[in-house]
Amino acid sequence: VPQIVSVSGKGTDNLQGVIRETDAITFEAVITNDGSPVDPSRVRLGQSIFFTSCTPLSGMGYVCTVRDPLSGTSSFMPDQSIPFEVSFLTATNTIAAVRSGRVLVDSRIPAVDFSLVTPEIAAREDITFSYSITDEACSSSDCQNNCSGIKRIEFFYFQNSAKQIVQVQNPNTR
Protein backbone atom coordinates (compact mmCIF):
# COMPACT_ATOMS: atom_id res chain seq x y z
CA VAL A 1 0.00 0.00 0.00
CA PRO A 2 1.52 3.36 -0.99
CA GLN A 3 2.09 5.72 1.91
CA ILE A 4 3.15 9.34 2.32
CA VAL A 5 5.40 9.13 5.37
CA SER A 6 5.98 12.88 5.76
CA VAL A 7 5.59 16.23 4.00
CA SER A 8 7.41 19.50 4.57
CA GLY A 9 8.01 22.90 3.05
CA LYS A 10 10.91 25.30 3.41
CA GLY A 11 11.97 28.64 1.96
CA THR A 12 15.30 29.89 0.70
CA ASP A 13 16.71 29.91 4.26
CA ASN A 14 16.31 26.08 4.33
CA LEU A 15 14.40 26.09 7.62
CA GLN A 16 11.72 23.40 7.67
CA GLY A 17 8.25 24.88 7.94
CA VAL A 18 9.26 28.55 7.72
CA ILE A 19 9.30 30.95 4.76
CA ARG A 20 9.82 34.68 4.22
CA GLU A 21 7.15 37.11 3.01
CA THR A 22 8.79 37.01 -0.43
CA ASP A 23 10.15 33.53 -1.06
CA ALA A 24 10.01 30.32 -3.05
CA ILE A 25 8.91 27.15 -1.26
CA THR A 26 10.55 23.78 -1.75
CA PHE A 27 8.05 21.08 -0.88
CA GLU A 28 9.22 17.57 -0.02
CA ALA A 29 7.29 14.34 0.42
CA VAL A 30 8.72 11.04 1.64
CA ILE A 31 6.77 8.23 -0.01
CA THR A 32 6.85 4.43 0.17
CA ASN A 33 5.34 2.44 -2.68
CA ASP A 34 5.77 -1.25 -1.82
CA GLY A 35 9.30 -1.20 -3.27
CA SER A 36 8.16 0.17 -6.64
CA PRO A 37 9.68 3.38 -8.03
CA VAL A 38 7.77 6.60 -7.42
CA ASP A 39 7.03 8.68 -10.51
CA PRO A 40 6.93 12.44 -9.71
CA SER A 41 4.01 12.88 -12.12
CA ARG A 42 1.93 10.87 -9.63
CA VAL A 43 2.77 13.13 -6.68
CA ARG A 44 0.59 16.25 -6.56
CA LEU A 45 0.70 19.42 -4.46
CA GLY A 46 -2.79 20.78 -4.03
CA GLN A 47 -4.98 20.28 -7.09
CA SER A 48 -2.65 21.12 -9.95
CA ILE A 49 1.09 21.23 -9.18
CA PHE A 50 3.01 18.01 -9.80
CA PHE A 51 6.34 17.20 -8.21
CA THR A 52 9.40 17.45 -10.46
CA SER A 53 11.70 14.77 -9.03
CA CYS A 54 11.71 11.67 -6.84
CA THR A 55 15.00 10.28 -5.52
CA PRO A 56 15.45 6.89 -3.82
CA LEU A 57 16.29 7.02 -0.11
CA SER A 58 18.79 4.66 1.45
CA GLY A 59 16.49 2.00 2.78
CA MET A 60 12.91 2.09 1.61
CA GLY A 61 11.07 4.93 -0.04
CA TYR A 62 11.62 8.04 -2.11
CA VAL A 63 11.92 11.74 -1.39
CA CYS A 64 10.01 13.80 -3.96
CA THR A 65 10.45 17.55 -4.41
CA VAL A 66 8.88 20.49 -6.20
CA ARG A 67 9.67 24.20 -6.01
CA ASP A 68 6.83 26.72 -6.11
CA PRO A 69 7.15 28.88 -8.06
CA LEU A 70 9.46 26.94 -10.41
CA SER A 71 11.62 30.09 -10.77
CA GLY A 72 11.67 33.42 -9.00
CA THR A 73 9.67 34.12 -5.85
CA SER A 74 6.10 34.71 -4.72
CA SER A 75 4.72 37.15 -2.17
CA PHE A 76 2.84 35.77 0.82
CA MET A 77 0.55 37.48 3.27
CA PRO A 78 2.43 38.34 6.47
CA ASP A 79 1.46 36.65 9.73
CA GLN A 80 0.02 33.57 8.02
CA SER A 81 0.13 29.85 8.45
CA ILE A 82 -0.25 28.34 4.99
CA PRO A 83 -1.72 24.82 4.81
CA PHE A 84 -0.84 22.49 1.95
CA GLU A 85 -1.76 18.97 0.88
CA VAL A 86 0.24 16.34 -1.01
CA SER A 87 -1.49 13.46 -2.80
CA PHE A 88 -0.03 10.27 -4.28
CA LEU A 89 -2.04 9.14 -7.29
CA THR A 90 -2.53 5.64 -8.69
CA ALA A 91 -1.94 4.83 -12.36
CA THR A 92 -5.64 5.59 -12.93
CA ASN A 93 -5.34 9.02 -11.20
CA THR A 94 -7.27 8.14 -8.06
CA ILE A 95 -5.84 9.22 -4.73
CA ALA A 96 -3.88 6.41 -3.08
CA ALA A 97 -2.53 8.46 -0.15
CA VAL A 98 -2.73 12.02 1.12
CA ARG A 99 -0.92 14.03 3.82
CA SER A 100 -1.25 17.64 4.96
CA GLY A 101 1.32 20.10 6.22
CA ARG A 102 1.79 23.82 6.73
CA VAL A 103 4.44 26.50 6.40
CA LEU A 104 4.62 29.68 8.45
CA VAL A 105 5.28 33.09 6.94
CA ASP A 106 7.89 34.60 9.28
CA SER A 107 7.13 38.29 8.93
CA ARG A 108 8.30 39.65 12.26
CA ILE A 109 11.72 40.89 13.23
CA PRO A 110 13.20 39.82 16.57
CA ALA A 111 12.47 42.05 19.58
CA VAL A 112 15.48 43.26 21.57
CA ASP A 113 15.37 44.42 25.18
CA PHE A 114 18.59 46.07 26.36
CA SER A 115 19.35 47.56 29.76
CA LEU A 116 22.48 49.05 31.28
CA VAL A 117 23.21 47.71 34.76
CA THR A 118 26.48 49.32 36.00
CA PRO A 119 27.89 51.95 35.90
CA GLU A 120 25.51 54.47 34.42
CA ILE A 121 28.41 56.63 33.21
CA ALA A 122 31.50 54.74 32.08
CA ALA A 123 34.86 56.35 31.51
CA ARG A 124 37.38 53.54 31.48
CA GLU A 125 35.53 51.09 33.62
CA ASP A 126 33.97 47.84 32.55
CA ILE A 127 30.27 48.11 32.05
CA THR A 128 27.67 45.48 32.68
CA PHE A 129 24.45 45.22 30.75
CA SER A 130 21.76 42.70 30.10
CA TYR A 131 19.81 41.88 27.00
CA SER A 132 17.11 39.54 25.88
CA ILE A 133 16.02 38.75 22.35
CA THR A 134 12.78 37.08 21.39
CA ASP A 135 11.59 35.97 18.00
CA GLU A 136 8.20 34.84 16.78
CA ALA A 137 7.12 34.11 13.23
CA CYS A 138 3.63 35.55 13.14
CA SER A 139 0.51 36.33 15.13
CA SER A 140 -1.41 33.20 14.09
CA SER A 141 -1.91 30.63 16.85
CA ASP A 142 -0.06 28.15 14.59
CA CYS A 143 3.04 30.31 15.02
CA GLN A 144 3.19 30.00 18.80
CA ASN A 145 6.71 28.84 19.75
CA ASN A 146 7.74 28.81 16.07
CA CYS A 147 10.09 31.16 14.27
CA SER A 148 13.04 31.25 11.93
CA GLY A 149 15.34 31.76 14.91
CA ILE A 150 18.29 33.95 15.76
CA LYS A 151 21.61 32.99 14.24
CA ARG A 152 23.94 35.44 15.99
CA ILE A 153 24.09 38.67 17.94
CA GLU A 154 26.63 41.37 17.07
CA PHE A 155 27.78 44.06 19.51
CA PHE A 156 29.51 47.13 18.07
CA TYR A 157 31.77 49.40 20.11
CA PHE A 158 30.99 52.95 19.04
CA GLN A 159 34.40 54.67 19.38
CA ASN A 160 36.81 52.12 17.94
CA SER A 161 34.54 50.30 15.47
CA ALA A 162 35.37 46.94 17.05
CA LYS A 163 32.68 44.34 17.30
CA GLN A 164 31.97 41.15 19.18
CA ILE A 165 29.84 38.36 17.75
CA VAL A 166 27.89 36.01 20.01
CA GLN A 167 26.96 32.74 18.30
CA VAL A 168 23.61 31.48 19.49
CA GLN A 169 23.88 27.97 20.97
CA ASN A 170 20.80 26.50 19.31
CA PRO A 171 19.88 28.71 16.35
CA ASN A 172 16.54 28.10 14.68
CA THR A 173 15.18 25.96 17.49
CA ARG A 174 11.59 26.28 18.48
Side-chain angles (χ1 to χ4, degrees), residues 102-174:
R102 62 181 58 247
V103 291
L104 306 174
V105 181
D106 189 343
S107 55
R108 295 183 171 200
I109 61 172
V112 180
D113 183 29
F114 185 88
S115 61
L116 184 64
V117 177
T118 60
E120 289 195 25
I121 299 175
R124 294 184 181 205
E125 305 172 45
D126 289 341
I127 61 169
T128 303
F129 61 88
S130 66
Y131 64 91
S132 68
I133 301 175
T134 56
D135 192 16
E136 60 181 22
C138 65
S139 62
S140 166
S141 61
D142 292 328
C143 293
Q144 190 171 11
N145 298 320
N146 290 291
C147 66
S148 59
I150 298 166
K151 184 176 182 180
R152 70 175 182 262
I153 305 159
E154 293 184 11
F155 294 98
F156 293 89
Y157 303 98
F158 187 67
Q159 293 293 328
N160 62 6
S161 72
K163 71 178 177 180
Q164 178 179 356
I165 297 174
V166 177
Q167 295 295 333
V168 176
Q169 292 295 331
N170 294 312
N172 308 322
T173 57
R174 299 178 183 152

Side-chain angles (χ1 to χ4, degrees), residues 62-137:
Y62 286 76
V63 60
C64 301
T65 60
V66 65
R67 184 182 188 272
D68 186 33
L70 289 174
S71 64
T73 58
S74 290
S75 294
F76 301 96
M77 292 291 293
D79 282 352
Q80 295 292 312
S81 172
I82 302 171
F84 64 92
E85 187 174 88
V86 175
S87 303
F88 183 63
L89 306 174
T90 66
T92 60
N93 285 333
T94 59
I95 296 175
V98 66
R99 184 166 289 253
S100 299
R102 62 181 58 247
V103 291
L104 306 174
V105 181
D106 189 343
S107 55
R108 295 183 171 200
I109 61 172
V112 180
D113 183 29
F114 185 88
S115 61
L116 184 64
V117 177
T118 60
E120 289 195 25
I121 299 175
R124 294 184 181 205
E125 305 172 45
D126 289 341
I127 61 169
T128 303
F129 61 88
S130 66
Y131 64 91
S132 68
I133 301 175
T134 56
D135 192 16
E136 60 181 22

